[in-house]
Amino acid sequence: MSATNAAPADDTGRKPAGPDPTAPRLVRPRPRLLGAGAAVLAALAVGHVVVTAFPVDDRVPAPFARPATIGQPVELRYARLTAGDPAGSTVLDPGLGTLLATPGVWLTVPLTIEALGQPRTLGFAELQGGDGRTYTVFTSGRSSFLPGTAQPGIPRYAAVSVEVPVEALPGAHLRVGLDLDDQRRDDVADIDLGLTQADAEAWAANDTPVVAVRSSDEPPEES
């Protein structure tokens, strides 16, 4: 029995030299295609370089961070904001009849909001921890920032309550803005809370509930 891919013999009974024209051909990738694939893989491997190589106008615009410290008013496009002394504990009293405990620390920061130009409802808050992580305040979760609407000429008193690990506290900054979903090219308050390692350790050992200030047009001591 002859092989399936055997070349036909000539008149002398000998097989011709060279490749069998009836045998299946092996198609090798073109060098150009291989080069393109390697370029894609290289681009993925150095994606950061590729992204940041575009002009600044093509990037996602960053917010305008307005720095401040505790007790220092910060002027924003839409409001004047002042943060009071922060407090912390392993237990939070949200004013709803149930205490909330945490293995970390509940941090509360009172805020005074003065709307500028028209009524404003601030919706964005996050803690930039000293541990390098960002802790966004989701009002549908355990953390909370629900200041309500501030009217021009009438100070609005509110507070941010956020649950964080102990190591996030030293060096933490609180950022507050107008739009919950989009802070691009808008003012955002960047408040240095002045917290130290000693503050973190003391609050981690404290089980006396901190009280979340309820939003109001009256100062907390009067409401």
Side-chain angles (χ1 to χ4, degrees):
M1 181 180 293
S2 60
T4 302
N5 294 328
D10 59 15
D11 295 339
T12 63
R14 293 178 300 176
K15 295 180 181 180
D20 180 358
T22 65
R25 297 175 60 189
L26 176 62
V27 179
R28 300 181 180 277
R30 297 182 180 179
R32 182 178 298 177
L33 294 179
L34 288 176
V40 172
L41 291 176
L44 292 175
V46 292
H48 176 72
V49 176
V50 173
V51 171
T52 56
F54 290 105
V56 173
D57 289 344
D58 291 339
R59 303 180 194 173
V60 176
F64 301 112
R66 307 302 184 188
T69 56
I70 295 299
Q72 175 188 12
V74 55
E75 297 283 341
L76 307 174
R77 174 186 64 81
Y78 41 82
R80 181 181 300 108
L81 190 69
T82 307
D85 292 327
S89 172
T90 58
V91 182
L92 174 74
D93 181 358
L96 302 174
T98 302
L99 300 179
L100 300 178
T102 177
V105 168
W106 282 106
L107 171 68
T108 64
V109 183
L111 299 172
T112 301
I113 304 167
E114 301 171 80
L116 300 178
Q118 65 185 59
R120 306 288 188 177
T121 303
L122 277 62
F124 170 74
E126 68 179 17
L127 188 80
Q128 293 190 328
D131 59 355
R133 299 178 179 178
T134 297
Y135 301 88
T136 302
V137 178
F138 293 103
T139 54
S140 58
R142 285 161 62 90
S143 301
S144 178
F145 178 52
L146 292 169
T149 301
Q151 301 291 337
I154 303 176
R156 183 74 176 172
Y157 303 94
V160 174
S161 301
V162 58
E163 183 181 19
V164 296
V166 177
E167 58 269 21
L169 293 172
H173 283 221
L174 177 65
R175 290 166 66 95
V176 179
L178 180 63
D179 194 310
L180 173 63
D181 300 315
D182 188 358
Q183 299 84 47
R184 294 175 298 175
R185 290 184 174 174
D186 204 355
D187 286 351
V188 170
D190 185 353
I191 304 166
D192 184 349
L193 299 179
L195 300 179
T196 65
Q197 183 64 34
D199 294 323
E201 293 174 357
W203 291 346
N206 179 25
D207 60 2
T208 300
V210 289
V211 179
V213 175
R214 303 299 298 272
S215 301
S216 174
D217 291 337
E218 298 180 0
E221 60 272 13
E222 298 177 10
S223 57

